[in-house]
Amino acid sequence: KVLDAVGAKCHTFNAQALSTTLWAVGRIGIIPSPEVLFTITEEVSAKIRTFTPQGLSNVLWSLTSLSYNPGPSILRTISLEVSRKSPNISSKNLSSILKSFSILQYLPEDAIMQKLTESFLKEVEIAVPQSTCQLLWSFASLGYSPGLDVLDILHLRASTLLDEYTTIHLANTLWSYSTLSFDPGESFLSRLVDSFVLQVKEASPQAIANIVWAIASLGYGLKGNQHAPILEEVCSRIRRGNQFSVQELTNIVWAFSVMGMREKKDPNFDQLWQYSLDSVATEGPGRKLAQLFHSKLLLEAQNEESGTNKGRYTLPRSLNSLAEQSWNTVVLKEAILSRFHGQVSSSLKRLKA
């Protein structure tokens, strides 16, 4: 009833009342009806010029918290106002705003993205780890490349802050670099992974999957003192009761397969392989099975080259047929996955070099 009353009265609210109301509802976690949210966001759009930078950030955060997308028209209106006020928006709020746009799957126009980026860079020297990482993640999630010069500046800031990064910062930064096809260099990557290994027991399953996927996609490998602890942690969690989704498992298997297992005869990988087979057994055709089939091809090629462990990594006949079908389907979708296969190709070339 309270929320219905808000919907009925929100036309009398000023900008502060609107942003505070949305923020409070987002914090409480009680989702209003679509009709109420529609009415409130229409009022936001009508009064957009009177919102403060913090108010704009709060509105976008609330929309993502409530999983409500008001549509491109209202999001464009908000993005234009954010752009207009961007010189007065802190780096923290700018990165939060872009994160909200990415979650809402809305990519503002290039001119707006450039202006928001320029405003962030003016404060880059004081940007904290969360803001720096969040900005990179937003660019990658939106499929927006700000250009090499911008990435170089953000990378320099990330290098300075690296020792302060948590596992989620480390994994998301490297995932963003890989998605944006930005090579951070071996020295930085080694520092980043060393830091991740020290904190691996606190890492989320997604962070572990993302970081090994990114390393492989960028064409690098893990050192012995990095490889063993990560793989051991993955298998330790599997033995305690699986914490990984099927997609995370196949990402991890694929990553270690691309990085090469022939010189790392780790029983933990054998266990991971078998567990992955069991996990995908009930999966229908799709990317997960295609990824597992590709992993099998990579491992077979490595074993054939080394002359060892032939037939060690195979798929059951029924699963192999379905996985091959999925792989063929994925390969044919070049327009959608060409970047994925390009990353695989460059990874393999680098590993052979």
Side-chain angles (χ1 to χ4, degrees):
K1 291 182 179 180
V2 172
L3 293 176
D4 288 340
V6 167
K9 296 286 187 180
C10 68
H11 67 279
T12 65
F13 291 5
N14 62 19
Q16 183 176 353
L18 287 167
S19 66
T20 301
T21 299
L22 277 172
W23 178 85
V25 172
R27 291 287 291 181
I28 294 170
I30 299 176
I31 301 177
S33 68
E35 292 78 16
V36 169
L37 284 171
F38 174 82
T39 303
I40 295 175
T41 52
E42 286 293 320
E43 284 299 315
V44 168
S45 179
K47 298 170 181 173
I48 195 69
R49 285 298 185 100
T50 60
F51 278 79
T52 64
Q54 184 64 55
L56 293 168
S57 179
N58 286 350
V59 166
L60 286 167
W61 175 86
S62 302
L63 294 176
T64 61
S65 179
L66 295 168
S67 300
Y68 179 74
N69 189 322
S73 178
I74 286 180
L75 289 175
R76 183 174 186 271
T77 298
I78 295 174
S79 72
L80 286 168
E81 190 62 19
V82 167
S83 176
R84 195 173 72 84
K85 290 175 175 166
S86 63
N88 299 316
I89 302 179
S90 68
S91 56
K92 177 183 177 181
N93 279 341
L94 282 169
S95 66
S96 176
I97 286 168
L98 280 168
K99 178 184 177 183
S100 295
F101 281 139
S102 66
I103 293 173
L104 294 169
Q105 298 182 323
Y106 176 76
L107 175 61
E109 299 155 25
D110 280 352
I112 294 175
M113 291 296 292
Q114 290 168 13
K115 193 166 182 181
L116 299 189
T117 302
E118 289 168 4
S119 295
F120 184 95
L121 293 182
K122 289 177 181 176
E123 289 194 358
V124 72
E125 293 300 325
I126 60 171
V128 298
Q130 176 72 7
S131 300
T132 307
C133 176
Q134 203 163 243
L135 185 72
L136 283 166
W137 180 88
S138 299
F139 287 154
S141 297
L142 286 167
Y144 173 79
S145 177
L148 189 57
D149 289 344
V150 171
L151 291 175
D152 280 338
I153 293 170
L154 293 175
H155 177 58
L156 182 61
R157 184 59 181 162
S159 300
T160 303
L161 296 170
L162 197 59
D163 292 339
E164 302 176 40
Y165 275 21
T166 64
T167 54
I168 193 65
H169 295 146
L170 296 167
N172 281 354
T173 294
L174 207 57
W175 177 86
S176 300
Y177 284 164
S178 176
T179 303
L180 294 168
S181 300
F182 177 81
D183 188 344
E186 188 170 0
S187 176
F188 175 87
L189 187 138
S190 183
R191 280 182 60 209
L192 184 148
V193 179
D194 282 342
S195 181
F196 187 88
V197 167
L198 290 174
Q199 307 173 66
V200 69
K201 291 190 179 300
E202 287 76 50
S204 68
Q206 184 179 28
I208 295 174
N210 282 356
I211 201 165
V212 294
W213 178 90
I215 293 165
S217 295
L218 283 166
Y220 290 97
L222 291 168
K223 299 176 183 176
N225 62 345
Q226 298 169 338
H227 169 277
I230 293 177
L231 193 50
E232 170 58 36
E233 181 62 23
V234 170
C235 290
S236 175
R237 295 187 187 198
I238 289 174
R239 288 190 290 268
R240 295 198 306 265
N242 181 36
Q243 300 179 11
F244 297 92
S245 68
V246 176
Q247 185 64 72
E248 287 163 352
L249 282 170
T250 56
N251 278 352
I252 293 169
V253 168
W254 177 85
F256 278 106
S257 300
V258 170
M259 289 187 283
M261 292 302 304
R262 63 178 176 272
E263 296 176 0
K264 305 181 181 71
K265 298 179 178 63
D266 192 328
N268 280 324
F269 184 77
D270 292 349
Q271 181 182 353
L272 173 60
W273 176 260
Q274 187 56 53
Y275 193 86
S276 298
L277 294 185
D278 295 340
S279 298
V280 300
T282 58
E283 290 285 322
R287 186 183 177 90
K288 299 166 195 152
L289 278 176
Q291 203 168 29
L292 198 61
F293 185 79
H294 187 206
S295 300
K296 185 202 79 159
L297 295 179
L298 291 168
L299 293 166
E300 284 180 347
Q302 292 167 21
N303 291 337
E304 184 175 339
E305 184 179 329
S306 63
T308 60
N309 301 317
K310 290 184 177 179
R312 185 175 184 178
Y313 303 111
T314 59
L315 300 175
R317 182 175 297 178
S318 58
L319 187 62
N320 187 77
S321 177
L322 193 59
E324 185 173 12
Q325 176 188 336
S326 298
W327 171 247
N328 289 334
T329 301
V330 166
V331 170
L332 289 173
K333 292 182 178 178
E334 293 181 0
I336 299 174
L337 295 170
S338 59
R339 181 175 60 80
F340 169 72
H341 292 291
Q343 288 172 336
V344 172
S345 179
S346 63
S347 298
L348 294 175
K349 286 179 183 177
R350 189 191 297 272
L351 287 167
K352 289 178 180 177

